[in-house]
């Protein structure tokens, strides 16, 4: 059995916190970018705000 300290980690692209590999991510670890569902939702919210602001400037 592996210890959590031995598992690969990567930083969340939104908050920067490191998060560890999970078994449910075994097939898609390279595609995982966020540490939590909250960070994933917040990134979409920020993208919508940026798109809305950029559309108003033109």
């Amino acid at each position: 059995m592996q210890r959590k300290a031995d598992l690969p980690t990567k930083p969340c692209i939104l908050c920067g916190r490191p998060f560890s590999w999970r078994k449910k991510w075994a097939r898609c670890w390279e595609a995982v970018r966020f540490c939590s569902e909250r960070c994933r939702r917040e990134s979409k919210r920020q993208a919508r705000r940026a798109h809305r602001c950029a559309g108003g400037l033109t």
Side-chain angles (χ1 to χ4, degrees):
M1 185 168 199
Q2 285 187 329
R3 294 180 303 169
K4 188 166 177 104
D6 296 336
L7 297 174
T9 62
K10 63 168 90 172
C12 175
I13 64 169
L14 187 71
C15 67
R17 268 185 268 171
F19 61 97
S20 297
W21 181 90
R22 295 181 186 169
K23 188 173 182 176
K24 70 179 186 177
W25 293 333
R27 293 184 183 168
C28 60
W29 176 243
E30 296 303 318
V32 176
R33 302 179 335 179
F34 304 103
C35 64
S36 65
E37 207 42 45
R38 181 178 180 179
C39 281
R40 187 183 65 77
R41 274 187 261 123
E42 183 62 28
S43 73
K44 287 185 179 183
R45 185 176 298 139
Q46 286 179 1
R48 276 193 305 245
R49 282 186 201 144
H51 180 68
R52 204 175 316 143
C53 291
L57 294 174
T58 57

